[in-house]
């Protein structure tokens, strides 16, 4: 602080905190709106977000669980009366669009009470996930979606709820209350597509694992059969050797008996000659 500044006394900055897009907690950025002398500064209104009625849901894991079981996740899109932003969601889903049931609930997004009522109504329907979506535009147009009525509706929502409001640069307090927040509706569509692709990769990996296990079992059976064949070949190879040994034994036995017979014949001749 320079000397000239000190002579004028203290000054107060009027700032507006905003949520900064991040995957790590809830960081804030501050936008300077005015500089006042200390006596002129007005108290900054305190932002008090409602308490959530339940713990946050892992939306990715929740949807993957449904898809793993072969179910079709049902998604309710709450959007403006004349909005076409649902096309951004569905186009970015690509081929994964057929894996979801997507219905629309249209309401005036400029009326916070109507938005809160619409959210309360759709959770009574057969939906797994609720999404409050709006395209970008004038930041002032987003303010009705970032007030107490909508906050309370999101915080008390008994089903998983996500928000995708405005352009990537727009951040709202309601995003902190949802189970998941996306910078744009297009980003929501990409997320839904990635969930389907992740489950498909799991299934492909499981198929490959099964094929590998079967291949290993077949290779083991082939090795066993190979060992049995080798043993049979070894035994067959030994058969001629045993036959030769047996023939040699018989020859030796025959030669011995011939010798004995000749000896006995000679002895008998000698005895006959001796008697004669």
């Amino acid at each position: 602080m320079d000397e000239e500044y000190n002579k004028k006394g203290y000054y107060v900055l009027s700032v507006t905190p905003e949520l900064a897009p991040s995957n790590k907690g809830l960081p804030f950025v501050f936008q300077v709106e005015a500089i006042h002398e200390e006596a002129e500064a007005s108290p900054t209104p305190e932002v008090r977000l409602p308490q959530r009625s339940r713990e946050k849901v892992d939306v990715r894991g929740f949807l993957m669980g449904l898809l793993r079981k072969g179910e079709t996740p049902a998604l309710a899109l709450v959007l403006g009366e004349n909005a076409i932003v649902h096309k951004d969601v569905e186009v970015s889903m690509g081929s994964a669009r057929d894996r979801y049931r997507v219905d629309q609930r249209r309401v005036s997004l400029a009326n916070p009470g109507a938005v809160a009522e619409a959210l309360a109504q759709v959770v009574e329907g057969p939906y797994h996930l609720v999404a409050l979506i709006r395209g970008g535009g004038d930041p002032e147009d987003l303010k009705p979606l970032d007030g107490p009525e909508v906050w309370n509706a999101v915080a008390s929502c008994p089903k998983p709820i996500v928000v995708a409001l405005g352009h990537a640069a727009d951040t709202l307090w309601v995003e902190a209350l949802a189970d998941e927040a996306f910078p744009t509706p297009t980003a929501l569509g990409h997320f839904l597509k990635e969930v389907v692709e992740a489950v498909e990769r799991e299934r492909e990996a499981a198929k490959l694992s099964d094929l590998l296990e079967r291949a290993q079992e077949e290779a083991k059976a082939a090795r066993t059969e190979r060992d049995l064949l080798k043993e049979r070949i070894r035994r067959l190879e030994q058969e001629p050797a045993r036959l030769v040994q047996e023939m040699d034994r018989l020859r030796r036995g025959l030669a011995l008996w011939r010798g004995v017979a000749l000896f006995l014949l000679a002895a008998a001749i000698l005895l006959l000659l001796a008697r004669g």
Side-chain angles (χ1 to χ4, degrees):
M1 184 180 297
D2 59 32
E3 184 176 350
E4 185 65 20
Y5 184 82
N6 280 327
K7 290 179 180 179
K8 296 181 181 180
Y10 293 99
Y11 289 79
V12 178
L13 300 180
S14 291
V15 299
T16 300
E18 296 179 353
L19 292 174
S22 173
N23 293 326
K24 300 178 179 179
L26 297 174
F28 297 92
V29 294
F30 295 90
Q31 177 181 349
V32 178
E33 295 183 343
I35 301 178
H36 312 277
E37 290 189 9
E38 187 174 16
E40 299 175 352
S42 58
T44 302
E46 183 179 1
V47 175
R48 293 187 178 182
L49 296 178
Q51 293 292 322
R52 291 173 51 85
S53 60
R54 56 174 174 75
E55 295 294 326
K56 282 194 174 185
V57 172
D58 175 9
V59 179
R60 177 184 292 272
F62 172 69
L63 293 176
M64 289 181 68
L66 294 173
L67 290 166
R68 288 188 190 111
K69 292 186 291 186
E71 296 188 34
T72 300
L75 172 62
L77 297 181
V78 179
L79 69 164
E81 293 174 313
N82 301 310
I84 59 173
V85 69
H86 62 286
K87 294 183 178 179
D88 294 339
V89 176
E90 296 186 2
V91 169
S92 57
M93 290 170 70
S95 60
R97 171 65 181 82
D98 295 337
R99 302 293 298 276
Y100 294 91
R101 171 190 160 195
V102 182
D103 294 339
Q104 300 171 25
R105 174 66 164 84
R106 295 186 174 273
V107 64
S108 173
L109 298 184
N111 185 339
V115 173
E117 183 179 355
L119 292 175
Q121 289 175 351
V122 294
V123 298
E124 298 297 329
Y127 300 108
H128 298 103
L129 181 67
V130 178
L132 177 61
I133 64 172
R134 186 192 187 284
D138 188 345
E140 291 296 318
D141 294 338
L142 294 174
K143 285 188 176 180
L145 299 176
D146 206 26
E149 289 178 286
V150 178
W151 291 349
N152 287 322
V154 173
S156 61
C157 184
K159 292 184 178 180
I161 182 169
V162 300
V163 296
L165 304 171
H167 291 305
D170 299 322
T171 51
L172 303 172
W173 291 99
V174 70
E175 296 176 350
L177 297 169
D179 291 290
E180 190 80 47
F182 300 92
T184 63
T186 297
L188 169 60
H190 285 306
F191 168 80
L192 297 172
K193 178 182 178 181
E194 290 169 1
V195 169
V196 171
E197 291 175 343
V199 173
E200 290 177 348
R201 286 194 298 271
E202 282 185 354
R203 288 177 177 170
E204 288 300 319
K207 288 180 181 178
L208 290 174
S209 178
D210 290 341
L211 288 174
L212 178 60
E213 184 176 352
R214 288 172 56 187
Q216 290 174 339
E217 290 176 353
E218 291 177 0
K220 182 178 179 181
R223 287 194 297 269
T224 301
E225 184 66 20
R226 179 201 62 190
D227 293 340
L228 291 174
L229 289 173
K230 291 172 74 173
E231 177 63 19
R232 291 180 61 186
I233 291 171
R234 185 185 67 80
R235 290 178 180 177
L236 290 173
E237 288 175 343
Q238 290 177 351
E239 287 297 324
R242 285 200 293 268
L243 290 173
V244 170
Q245 291 175 358
E246 185 65 19
M247 290 178 65
D248 289 341
R249 186 182 66 80
L250 291 173
R251 288 193 186 102
R252 289 194 298 269
L254 182 59
L256 176 63
W257 284 110
R258 282 178 180 176
V260 171
L262 290 173
F263 174 77
L264 293 174
L265 180 60
I269 292 173
L270 289 174
L271 286 174
L272 289 172
L273 291 174
R275 291 179 180 180

